[in-house]
Amino acid sequence: MSAEAETAPDGGAAAPGTEGAGKVRRPRAPRTAAAALVATVVLVVAGALLYDVIEVRAGRPARRWRAQIADELATRHLDDLWVLVGAGAATLLGGWLLWLAIAPGLRRWLVLRPYGGTTAAVDRAGIGHLLRDRAAGLAGIDHLRIRVGRRRVRVSLVGSADPASVQRQLREELDRVGAARPLRLDVRTAGGRRAGRGARTEPADGTGTEPGTGVAE
């Protein structure tokens, strides 16, 4: 779904409508590739061990690799380099799998405010394109760089344009997106001059930034 299609239900300027914003949850990634990889590794290792155990029970000698592993585990001390390396690798692998199980993923997507009992999400790159199209019609901008994060939009511009004026224009466009969690906007020039000095900017949730504080983190 394109960014324009996502903003259509909002119909222009964003209404306060923040009473349901806190109830919107981020979409979770299915983790299909990670689950398939883990399942494949477990099946291969478990199948090899089961096959070797069955052969031993049938009176045949154990495979060399299993006998060697058992001998290494019985003779090596805990402070051995390879034991430490193996333990570290197992810890990192376990932490990675735990992170995949807990983290929702889909960090490129931002959840929108509920509309008509349904929720949607927009790609952060789509928001960047919307802001870039809005800035293309402003005078005094020679070069523009936009970085859209999960909580903040950073805009760096080169040119004679007033950053406060650019911020007001981009703020209006950003409010139209209707993100469930309002995004803070930080506009600055290449020389370090920032918007918000003496101006008051209103995020989508209606909470303002006091004059003189800007939009710094």
Side-chain angles (χ1 to χ4, degrees):
M1 182 179 294
S2 65
E4 288 80 359
E6 294 286 357
T7 59
D10 215 34
T18 56
E19 59 275 2
K23 300 179 181 179
V24 178
R25 295 183 178 181
R26 289 178 54 193
R28 297 190 65 89
R31 310 292 188 188
T32 305
L37 176 62
V38 173
T40 302
V41 173
V42 170
L43 285 176
V44 170
V45 174
L49 289 175
L50 179 61
Y51 179 80
D52 192 63
V53 169
I54 292 176
E55 281 199 330
V56 172
R57 292 293 184 180
R60 298 177 182 176
R63 296 282 181 174
R64 174 183 294 183
W65 59 268
R66 191 164 76 95
Q68 186 175 357
I69 291 178
D71 182 66
E72 292 289 339
L73 292 176
T75 57
R76 287 187 180 271
H77 298 285
L78 294 179
D79 58 352
D80 186 83
L81 177 61
W82 288 107
V83 174
L84 296 177
V85 170
T91 302
L92 291 177
L93 179 61
W96 176 64
L97 295 177
L98 183 62
W99 171 253
L100 289 180
I102 296 176
L106 300 179
R107 296 177 62 87
R108 295 190 305 108
W109 297 88
L110 295 177
V111 182
L112 303 180
R113 289 195 299 268
Y115 181 82
T118 61
T119 57
V122 61
D123 193 347
R124 289 189 294 179
I127 297 178
H129 289 308
L130 283 177
L131 298 180
R132 187 175 297 277
D133 291 342
R134 180 64 177 267
L138 303 179
I141 299 180
D142 299 330
H143 178 72
L144 191 71
R145 181 181 181 186
I146 300 176
R147 292 178 296 173
V148 182
R150 291 178 55 199
R151 296 179 177 86
R152 179 183 296 270
V153 178
R154 295 176 173 87
V155 179
S156 302
L157 59 92
V158 177
S160 59
D162 179 20
S165 176
V166 174
Q167 174 156 323
R168 285 193 297 269
Q169 297 291 329
L170 297 185
R171 179 80 261 171
E172 293 178 1
E173 190 69 25
L174 190 60
D175 289 348
R176 293 181 57 210
V177 176
R181 173 179 291 179
L183 297 173
R184 301 180 66 182
L185 182 61
D186 185 3
V187 179
R188 67 179 66 193
T189 63
R193 192 160 57 101
R194 306 179 62 179
R197 302 298 182 183
R200 182 181 180 88
T201 57
E202 294 288 341
D205 62 350
T207 59
T209 304
E210 294 298 329
T213 59
V215 289
E217 290 182 298

